[in-house]
Amino acid sequence: EPEVTQTPSHQVTQMGQEVILRCVPISNHLYFYWYRQILGQKVEFLVSFYNNEISEKSEIFDDQFSVERPDGSNFTLKIRSTKLEDSAMYFCASSETSNEQFFGPGTRLTVL
Amino acid sequence: QQQVKQSPQSLIVQKGGISIINCAYENTAFDYFPWYQQFPGKGPALLIAIRPDVSEKKEGRFTISFNKSAKQFSLHIMDSQPGDSATYFCAASGPGSNYKLTFGKGTLLTVNP
């Protein structure tokens, strides 16, 4: 069964550093999303991406964040100048029809 | 208006019992209501979903009941098993929100053997 994959599973970084979180969505899906989940809290929407451009972003997704689909398979989230409060699980999701979203296993980001 | 309110925060059920988790939404533009199951350290997994044109959807032991006029929907887990112990999130999305999912705060379900 096809699934969304994410790398790395755990990323530790120093405050102020840049990180890139990688996702490989399900191959025939057209809609891509990033969500984050701070420990013990609900899953929060960050950004949606369709047709090679951002379709919507939350107020969390400020200039510190960017997304890219560099090739036909990868979807990346870049966080510049990381802050302590960026520590969270980051989930990538993809969807064929814009409704049924399938989530990856997540990347745990720890900012020290 | 984008909130999805979920209750209870935690739930303990005996094996074989019925688990019921409730959600309420405010945005009438929402037209898709999924439930996700999340085990510790894993990503949310789509469990079952419903659209507002039906009042109930059943898949195996899992049933969603939907009340459009009350803007509420609930998840029923029949014959709950210890393996169902997980966090359950309701969510909602719609064309007016570019289909981003708005999640409830989650319910930690514990099924005792």
Side-chain angles (χ1 to χ4, degrees):
Chain A
E1 186 173 324
E3 58 184 18
V4 177
T5 59
Q6 290 184 242
T7 55
S9 57
H10 191 190
Q11 175 85 52
V12 181
T13 190
Q14 293 292 323
M15 190 169 56
Q17 296 297 303
E18 174 182 287
V19 295
I20 297 176
L21 310 184
R22 292 181 168 81
C23 168
V24 179
I26 296 173
S27 63
N28 63 332
H29 285 188
L30 302 175
Y31 299 83
F32 312 112
Y33 307 83
W34 283 101
Y35 293 83
R36 80 172 184 190
Q37 185 179 32
I38 295 171
L39 184 64
Q41 299 187 23
K42 68 177 180 179
V43 179
E44 298 177 288
F45 168 78
L46 289 178
V47 65
S48 57
F49 193 87
Y50 171 71
N51 201 25
N52 284 319
E53 61 182 23
I54 291 173
S55 48
E56 183 162 348
K57 57 185 180 179
S58 73
E59 58 189 25
I60 302 169
F61 194 90
D62 59 19
D63 292 343
Q64 183 193 7
F65 295 87
S66 62
V67 290
E68 193 177 35
R69 188 156 163 80
D71 53 42
S73 59
N74 290 283
F75 180 50
T76 62
L77 174 68
K78 182 187 291 185
I79 309 174
R80 288 180 282 273
S81 189
T82 50
K83 298 176 280 193
L84 295 176
E85 54 264 37
D86 294 328
S87 295
M89 284 290 287
Y90 288 81
F91 294 107
C92 172
S94 72
S95 174
E96 184 180 10
T97 63
S98 79
N99 271 326
E100 204 170 64
Q101 294 181 30
F102 295 90
F103 282 70
T107 293
R108 179 183 302 281
L109 176 64
T110 302
V111 182
L112 302 176
Chain B
Q1 198 177 13
Q2 292 292 325
Q3 276 191 323
V4 176
K5 296 181 180 179
Q6 183 172 348
S7 62
Q9 191 172 4
S10 62
L11 180 62
I12 300 174
V13 174
Q14 291 299 116
K15 178 182 175 182
I18 302 173
S19 305
I20 302 174
I21 305 170
N22 301 297
C23 281
Y25 64 98
E26 299 169 353
N27 188 347
T28 54
F30 287 149
D31 66 357
Y32 176 72
F33 303 89
W35 284 89
Y36 282 83
Q37 178 189 58
Q38 186 180 33
F39 293 105
K42 304 294 185 183
L46 181 61
L47 195 60
I48 187 173
I50 198 168
R51 292 190 174 276
D53 53 342
V54 297
S55 60
E56 186 174 281
K57 182 175 181 180
K58 184 176 181 179
E59 290 183 1
R61 296 184 295 109
F62 301 92
T63 300
I64 299 180
S65 296
F66 187 85
N67 186 329
K68 187 174 180 179
S69 60
K71 293 188 285 186
Q72 296 175 346
F73 59 109
S74 59
L75 176 70
H76 297 235
I77 306 174
M78 312 301 287
D79 188 26
S80 299
Q81 300 296 312
D84 297 330
S85 297
T87 299
Y88 292 81
F89 292 95
C90 63
S93 73
S97 63
N98 278 299
Y99 294 104
K100 68 180 182 187
L101 288 170
T102 300
F103 283 85
K105 290 189 175 181
T107 296
L108 177 61
L109 172 65
T110 303
V111 181
N112 288 327

